[in-house]
Every structure is written in structure tokens, then in C-alpha cells.
């Protein structure tokens, strides 16, 4: 494990455990965290590990993009805000594509909030274990951001376009039992038993032929499917850039932060 990183890697037997490590801000996404996440994923993919386990340190998996950091960028002017938004959404898209291109199964071990673009890191996993306090929620309309992180690029094919749009329309909180019912999770468990569920999956994966699992991932996430996803994620990034510089979005950021009593990052 590398100290000082905002996403860490620990090889634990057959598992490469990648952890978002900004718990004091609920693992809110900033460019440094996403760059560290990509580096950790690259190391994990190059390791002998048979599975990647992705989790968040602390009470939340991740609350998505750090709105305080967006506000800081906006204070430096429109060009700075556009550059920051382009960088962070681009890095998030790249991390999602890293996950689907991984040569081994990916398990998401999730507790607490999964909001905004952080949902894409969960949607890209093969197996998702949710603690009973976990939930997904978009929050884009409350701020004025365009959806990113796969809310339009991945979610509609998982739960259908109508449900995906409905979640945006009312800023729906998708609680863990509902996520299980919709097929967004494979298990829901008390937080204290989350690691037991992950351990059972790791044991089951270890019994499978490694090359069979690699072939399955290559066939499901072939070049054409990954290229199509990349185009849809880039469309999300372009829509995000178009909305983020509006006065309404700047006002939305201020209102969002005021409601939560959050200082700028």
C-alpha cells in the first residue's frame, strides 16, 4: 500500500484490493483521486491477482464529484472551470473503461452513499455487494450538472431507459434492496457481513479456470462494446462541459454546498 495516495492498492492473496482513500470527504472525486485510482487499477491488472475488489474507505463508497472543488475552479473563471470539468470527467470515464477492460473479475464492495459519477465505478463491476445502508442517487438536477459516470451510458441498459430517466427526474434514492431488485447489485448484507460476502465470492472465483474467466471478460467487453461505451461516456463529458459554465449551475453549486454546510475543497 502506497502512503499518501487517494486510492490505494493492497495485494491480499488472490485479491487486488483497490480502495478510494479520501474518507474525510466521503471519497468525493477529484482529479488526484481518479489519477491514483487509475494507477492502482493498472498495478492490479499487472499483478498475479485473480480478482479486483473495489471499495471506499470510511462510511461512504463515494459521493461523486467534489462540488466544493468545482466551486473553487469556477472562482478562477470560466476557462478554469471548463478545464477542471473536462479533466475530472475525462479521468472518471477513463477509470470506468479501465474497469471494464480489466483481465480479471471486478467486485464492488459498497457501503453508504454512491452518488453522482461514482455510480459508474459500481456499474462497471462484475459483482456488486451492497451494505444495507448503501444507496445510489444522481443529484445532477439539484446542482445543474449533466449526468456523467454512466448514468446515461450504462444505467439505461441495466434497468431500462424509462427507469433511468425517472431516477433523474425525481433525484431518486435507490436504496440497497431496490438496487438488488433492479439488478444493480448481486447481494445486500449488513455492513458487518459485507466482507464475508466478498470473501465467499473470492473463494468461488478461485475455483474457476483463470483463462475461462479472462475469455469471458474479453468476449463480453470486446473492442466494439468498449468503443461504443467510450463514445457514450464522451457524450456525457461534452454535455457536462456545456452545462457546468452556466450561471444557473454556479448558483446550484452554491446552494448545494450551503445546504450541506460544506466548505470549498
Amino acid at each position: 500500500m502506497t502512503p499518501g495516495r487517494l486510492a490505494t492498492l493492497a495485494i491480499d492473496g488472490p485479491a487486488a484490493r483497490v480502495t478510494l482513500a479520501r474518507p474525510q470527504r466521503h471519497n468525493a472525486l477529484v482529479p488526484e483521486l481518479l489519477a491514483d485510482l487509475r494507477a492502482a487499477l493498472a498495478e492490479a491488472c499487472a499483478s498475479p491477482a485473480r480478482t479486483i475488489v473495489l471499495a471506499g474507505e470510511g462510511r461512504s463508497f463515494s459521493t461523486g464529484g467534489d462540488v466544493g472543488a468545482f466551486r473553487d475552479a469556477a472562482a478562477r473563471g470560466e476557462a478554469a472551470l471548463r478545464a477542471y470539468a473536462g479533466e475530472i470527467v475525462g479521468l472518471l470515464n477513463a477509470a470506468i473503461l479501465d474497469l471494464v477492460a480489466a483481465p480479471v473479475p471486478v467486485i464492488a464492495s459498497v457501503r453508504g452513499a454512491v452518488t453522482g459519477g461514482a455510480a459508474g465505478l459500481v456499474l462497471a463491476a462484475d459483482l456488486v455487494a451492497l451494505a444495507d445502508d448503501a444507496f445510489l442517487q444522481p443529484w445532477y438536477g439539484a446542482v445543474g450538472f449533466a449526468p456523467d459516470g454512466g448514468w446515461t451510458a450504462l444505467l439505461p441498459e441495466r434497468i431500462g431507459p424509462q427507469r433511468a430517466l425517472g431516477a433523474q427526474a425525481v433525484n431518486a434514492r435507490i436504496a440497497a434492496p431496490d438496487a438488488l431488485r433492479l439488478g444493480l447489485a448481486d447481494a445486500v448484507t449488513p455492513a458487518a457481513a459485507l466482507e464475508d460476502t466478498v470473501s465467499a465470492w473470492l473463494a468461488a472465483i478461485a475455483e474457476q479456470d483463470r483463462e475461462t474467466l479472462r475469455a469471458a471478460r474479453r468476449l463480453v467487453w470486446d473492442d466494439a462494446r468498449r468503443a461504443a461505451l467510450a463514445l457514450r461516456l464522451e457524450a456525457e463529458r461534452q454535455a457536462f462541459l456545456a452545462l457546468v459554465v452556466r450561471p444557473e449551475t454556479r448558483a446550484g453549486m452554491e446552494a448545494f454546498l450551503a445546504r450541506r454546510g460544506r466548505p470549498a475543497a
Side-chain angles (χ1 to χ4, degrees):
M1 188 175 296
T2 304
R5 282 191 175 185
L6 296 182
T8 62
L9 171 66
I11 304 298
D12 180 11
R17 296 181 179 270
V18 177
T19 305
L20 309 181
R22 199 178 177 225
Q24 73 279 12
R25 296 300 296 270
H26 295 273
N27 300 313
L29 305 178
V30 290
E32 297 82 0
L33 184 152
L34 289 167
D36 286 348
L37 172 60
R38 294 200 67 204
L41 290 173
E43 292 180 56
C45 290
S47 77
R50 296 176 58 95
T51 312
I52 295 171
V53 179
L54 180 62
E57 184 179 340
R59 294 187 293 118
S60 300
F61 179 81
S62 172
T63 51
D66 192 317
V67 179
F70 277 100
R71 182 177 66 179
D72 281 354
R76 298 193 296 271
E78 182 174 315
L81 175 58
R82 187 181 295 275
Y84 179 82
E87 178 186 21
I88 189 170
V89 180
L91 283 168
L92 174 60
N93 290 351
I96 292 169
L97 292 168
D98 290 342
L99 286 167
V100 301
V104 297
V106 177
I107 295 172
S109 177
V110 180
R111 60 178 305 170
V114 184
T115 58
L121 304 176
V122 176
L123 293 171
D126 301 61
L127 289 163
V128 177
L130 298 183
D132 52 13
D133 66 345
F135 65 92
L136 287 78
Q137 193 166 7
W139 280 106
Y140 296 103
V143 181
F145 293 154
D148 68 342
W151 281 90
T152 67
L154 282 169
L155 187 63
E157 69 178 40
R158 298 285 297 276
I159 67 173
Q162 182 182 18
R163 284 196 179 98
L165 288 170
Q168 293 289 337
V170 299
N171 190 29
R173 176 176 289 209
I174 305 172
D178 294 324
L180 182 64
R181 176 177 56 82
L182 291 169
L184 297 176
D186 301 281
V188 173
T189 180
L194 193 60
E195 185 56 35
D196 292 338
T197 298
V198 171
S199 295
W201 285 343
L202 290 171
I205 290 169
E207 294 177 355
Q208 312 308 310
D209 181 77
R210 186 186 185 105
E211 292 307 314
T212 298
L213 299 183
R214 285 177 179 267
R217 287 209 109 237
R218 286 196 304 268
L219 291 165
V220 170
W221 287 110
D222 60 11
D223 291 346
R225 191 159 183 238
R226 283 187 284 112
L229 175 58
L231 286 174
R232 294 186 65 83
L233 290 171
E234 175 59 19
E236 289 186 342
R237 191 177 78 93
Q238 293 300 325
F240 199 101
L241 290 173
L243 295 193
V244 74
V245 295
R246 298 178 307 152
E248 295 90 342
T249 302
R250 295 192 187 198
M253 288 190 280
E254 294 292 350
F256 180 88
L257 292 167
R259 286 197 300 271
R260 278 149 187 77
R262 293 182 182 176

